[in-house]
Amino acid sequence: MSDTTKKAPLARRALFPLLLGLLLLTILYSVTIGRYDLQVRDVALILWDNISPSQAPSWTKLEETVVELVRLPRVLAAVLIGFGLAVSGGALQGLFRNPLVDPGIIGVTAGAGFGGTLAILLGIHGYMLLAIAFCFGIGSVVLVKFLASVRGRTSILTLVLAGVVISAFFSAAISIAKLLADPFQKLPAITYWLMGSIASTHYGDVLLLAIAVIPATILIFLLRFQINILSLGEEKARALGTPVVLVQWLILIATAMISAGIVAISGIIGWVGLVMPHVARAFVGADHSRMLPVAGIIGAIYLLLVDNLARTVTTAEIPLGIITALIGVPVFAIILRRMHSKGGWSND
Amino acid sequence: MIEVRDLHVRRGDKTIIDGCSFAVHSSGVLVILGANGVGKTTLLNTMIGVLKPYRGHMEIGGKIGFVPQLFEVAFSYSVMDIALMGRVRHIGLFGSPGTRDFAVVRRFLALLGIEYLENRVFNELSGGQRQMVMIAQALSSECDILILDEPCAALDYRNQKVVIDVLRSLSRDHGITIVFTTHVPQHAVEIASHVLLMNSAVSYLSGTAETVLSESNLSALYKVPIGRAQFAGSGKFTYAPLFHHEEVRHEP
């Protein structure tokens, strides 16, 4: 776009490269954290070595292994999870015309959670567990959409209600599964998996996450202008000429892909998808073409910091879902009060 | 040009519009009056294609731009963001606004005299300003016909005048056909070339303001006695509800 089309202030135009730089620094810093002490400079050199190999490396083989095989996959997973949750939360808030929505609302989180629980209960591990969790997540969204559709049209209210119903159903199913589980081995496994952790992530997981998150976020970003229009309401969107049902389906499927993939790898991590879009809107306004990328990057930085906290605060790792809730709830309460004092969520 | 003959619209099993006919020529102004719940919004939704007619003939010669009733949006969009949404028919499913879209929107913001609002937050504007932004959004679709659902509802007299003046100028100077609903007969007196009274599901009356807007027609329409007075200077009529009268008096 030429300069005449957008007179965005310098601060706003500089924000995106600034955030990208910050993300890169946070990634490098996050790799240094752990029992084996490393400096940001060492990490940068070790990683740069992959692009342009050095003749006389200044680091040990052990350091290289720690950086590239132990810590980097986990860090990349955190980036993908934070990015995916924030983008899908932002897209759903637009679709639902409601800034208080997160990916949990369409039933995908509880559905995928039940899929994973069922797999653990049946003694299934590894990629089969991921596949089952993923399929249940996608399946529950399709179920929600069909439940909410009357004569080919879906009202947002019925979509929310169907999401609540399906989520409640799968939550109950998770409880039953826990009740049936062997309390010494399977119950702890289910509980820890649901609470969310990326402690033992390897490159295979990162690849699966990337497959679930990247194409879907690209699809959401391509639909950025349509999301703006849908956020006015279905009737108005239809009158303006948007293919409402098609866009609703595409966004639901894309966000379900992201959420189901994330739950499958890392368990249920709440509050990121709800809070990050608000932070992004405060910086760049509501237009989804600016808000979604910024929300994604802020989400990635945020989840990296949360994961750093998770593995440093105590000797035992704290599940990510607990920390995101502990931070997310007060932040959300502040946002809610601010919106309320300004006379509704329209002026956030 | 719009021509509607014997239009029937149903929602489920219920007939909302039952045999409505009217016509407006290009650059005409059709004002639709009727009590709440009589199907005015349903008629507009059928004209813009959101609802399908059950039966009847509807010919609409031109592209339609629609202005819904005043509303707040869920997010803090700028005026430019809102107005750009009118361009959606010119932008592909996966596209986003380009230089030409911004230029078209700026042209219509300037035409309506609100270019200075471009970077303001839509929800923080006054009702009158928001109405102008919504008109800019509809015009930005480069339409020939502008359909508005109660564009003057919830506006004070000054803002009603601003909106009416803009609609008059769009029709007279830019050849745009205007269709809008209102509860104020005076709006029809000011700019209508055609008036449609929607009385109940089965009684529709259309014609010029002079022929249709009689005391008896309006009293029957609103089920409240309506008085009419004529200004000595302009010769224009004005209407007022006479709430203190107990019964509706029908003129022969």
Side-chain angles (χ1 to χ4, degrees):
Chain A
M1 250 165 264
S2 74
D3 283 340
T4 51
T5 58
K6 275 198 177 174
K7 288 186 225 155
L10 186 67
R12 189 179 272 186
R13 270 181 291 158
L15 183 72
F16 198 71
L18 207 74
L19 281 172
L20 270 180
L22 196 62
L23 174 64
L24 200 68
L25 277 180
T26 316
I27 291 174
L28 292 179
Y29 169 71
S30 302
V31 177
T32 66
I33 292 177
R35 274 195 211 116
Y36 197 93
D37 204 27
L38 284 164
Q39 301 300 314
V40 171
R41 190 174 165 274
D42 300 331
V43 174
L45 284 175
I46 291 171
L47 292 178
W48 183 251
D49 191 53
N50 290 307
I51 299 164
S52 142
S54 152
Q55 296 305 319
S58 60
W59 56 88
T60 65
K61 194 79 197 149
L62 177 66
E63 283 172 335
E64 194 172 321
T65 308
V66 167
V67 167
E68 291 186 349
L69 294 181
V70 181
R71 292 186 192 164
L72 194 60
R74 173 178 193 149
V75 164
L76 290 179
V79 168
L80 284 168
I81 292 168
F83 190 87
L85 287 175
V87 169
S88 61
L92 285 175
Q93 289 178 3
L95 177 65
F96 282 86
R97 260 179 297 147
N98 188 334
L100 307 184
V101 157
D102 85 336
I105 198 124
I106 51 171
V108 56
T109 312
F114 174 70
T117 305
L118 190 69
I120 296 172
L121 192 68
L122 298 175
I124 298 168
H125 296 286
Y127 291 123
M128 261 321 271
L129 184 151
L130 303 185
I132 292 171
F134 187 79
C135 291
F136 268 86
I138 299 285
S140 59
V141 171
V142 173
L143 205 62
V144 164
K145 176 77 176 151
F146 275 117
L147 212 62
S149 297
V150 182
R151 292 198 204 100
R153 285 190 180 180
T154 315
S155 99
I156 289 303
L157 184 66
T158 51
L159 204 59
V160 171
L161 292 176
V164 169
V165 167
I166 295 293
S167 293
F169 175 79
F170 280 121
S171 300
I174 289 174
S175 297
I176 293 173
K178 280 179 168 176
L179 208 62
L180 295 175
D182 155 31
F184 298 104
Q185 285 183 351
K186 284 180 179 167
L187 184 58
I190 291 173
T191 309
Y192 279 111
W193 181 78
L194 282 175
M195 280 196 284
S197 168
I198 47 173
S200 51
T201 311
H202 49 83
Y203 278 114
D205 298 331
V206 176
L207 181 68
L208 288 178
L209 264 178
I211 291 169
V213 170
I214 292 172
T217 48
I218 290 173
L219 178 60
I220 289 175
F221 185 69
L222 285 174
L223 290 166
R224 61 207 183 278
F225 185 62
Q226 304 291 340
I227 300 175
N228 278 355
I229 290 166
L230 272 187
S231 73
L232 295 186
E234 299 140 86
E235 295 244 320
K236 293 174 188 85
R238 207 166 269 132
L240 282 169
T242 286
V244 172
V245 176
L246 175 68
V247 179
Q248 278 179 344
W249 262 116
L250 290 176
I251 293 172
L252 281 179
I253 291 297
T255 50
M257 283 272 296
I258 294 173
S259 306
I262 289 172
V263 173
I265 301 287
S266 67
I268 297 173
I269 299 173
W271 298 96
V272 181
L274 203 160
V275 174
M276 291 307 128
H278 287 273
V279 180
R281 271 185 220 108
F283 282 118
V284 291
D287 175 15
H288 288 80
S289 59
R290 295 191 300 264
M291 186 277 270
L292 289 173
V294 169
I297 293 180
I298 295 177
I301 295 173
Y302 173 70
L303 209 76
L304 272 176
L305 297 178
V306 165
D307 188 48
N308 292 345
L309 213 61
R311 55 199 170 112
T312 49
V313 168
T314 58
T315 45
E317 285 213 9
I318 308 173
L320 289 181
I322 293 178
I323 300 180
T324 55
L326 284 177
I327 300 173
V329 172
V331 170
F332 179 69
I334 293 166
I335 292 171
L336 203 64
R337 284 194 68 85
R338 248 188 58 196
M339 288 196 296
H340 191 65
S341 68
K342 282 188 175 182
W345 64 43
S346 46
N347 300 322
D348 70 312
Chain B
M1 187 273 296
I2 301 171
E3 197 182 341
V4 171
R5 260 181 293 142
D6 196 32
L7 180 74
H8 293 251
V9 183
R10 306 178 79 169
R11 266 194 164 160
D13 295 336
K14 205 176 156 209
T15 299
I16 311 285
I17 294 173
D18 196 0
C20 184
S21 301
F22 58 88
V24 203
H25 59 74
S26 290
S27 76
V29 178
L30 170 69
V31 177
I32 303 171
L33 292 153
N36 291 329
V38 83
K40 297 191 297 295
T41 302
T42 302
L43 176 61
L44 297 191
N45 278 332
T46 313
M47 289 170 76
I48 64 176
V50 167
L51 292 177
K52 295 268 167 291
Y54 176 69
R55 176 152 71 78
H57 171 84
M58 190 167 65
E59 196 185 327
I60 290 176
K63 280 180 287 179
I64 292 179
F66 179 62
V67 179
Q69 284 188 33
L70 264 194
F71 66 102
E72 282 213 344
V73 294
F75 303 102
S76 45
Y77 288 116
S78 72
V79 165
M80 180 50 93
D81 292 335
I82 293 283
L84 276 170
M85 294 180 195
R87 298 290 301 161
V88 65
R89 283 183 207 271
H90 301 265
I91 296 168
L93 183 65
F94 297 127
S96 77
T99 313
R100 195 184 123 66
D101 301 301
F102 278 85
V104 170
V105 166
R106 290 219 168 88
R107 192 174 85 219
F108 286 111
L109 290 176
L111 181 75
L112 299 177
I114 51 166
E115 66 272 39
Y116 66 97
L117 294 176
E118 183 183 318
N119 294 315
R120 293 276 302 278
V121 172
F122 178 76
N123 281 345
E124 291 170 2
L125 302 180
S126 74
Q129 288 172 325
R130 264 185 283 151
Q131 194 58 266
M132 297 307 270
V133 175
M134 293 311 295
I135 293 175
Q137 183 195 62
L139 290 175
S140 297
S141 70
E142 296 179 279
C143 57
D144 316 295
I145 301 166
L146 193 61
I147 296 183
L148 310 92
D149 195 0
E150 299 199 19
C152 294
L155 297 187
D156 59 29
Y157 283 140
R158 202 193 82 79
N159 280 309
Q160 288 185 28
K161 178 174 157 42
V162 170
V163 170
I164 293 292
D165 285 347
V166 158
L167 295 180
R168 180 189 288 122
S169 145
L170 287 173
S171 134
R172 198 178 51 199
D173 308 331
H174 300 275
I176 292 174
T177 310
I178 311 268
V179 177
F180 71 93
T181 55
T182 179
H183 287 297
V184 183
Q186 201 60 34
H187 297 153
V189 173
E190 290 293 330
I191 59 170
S193 62
H194 305 72
V195 177
L196 173 65
L197 297 188
M198 297 180 72
N199 219 334
S200 66
V202 288
S203 163
Y204 306 99
L205 208 58
S206 73
T208 60
E210 292 80 37
T211 56
V212 173
L213 295 179
S214 67
E215 286 185 344
S216 59
N217 283 345
L218 287 174
S219 301
L221 187 73
Y222 290 114
K223 300 187 173 62
V224 165
I226 305 278
R228 182 166 81 166
Q230 192 167 21
F231 288 107
S234 68
K236 277 192 175 174
F237 288 108
T238 184
Y239 300 84
L242 307 170
F243 291 123
H244 57 279
H245 282 233
E246 284 185 355
E247 271 182 44
V248 178
R249 183 173 48 84
H250 290 282
E251 288 171 359

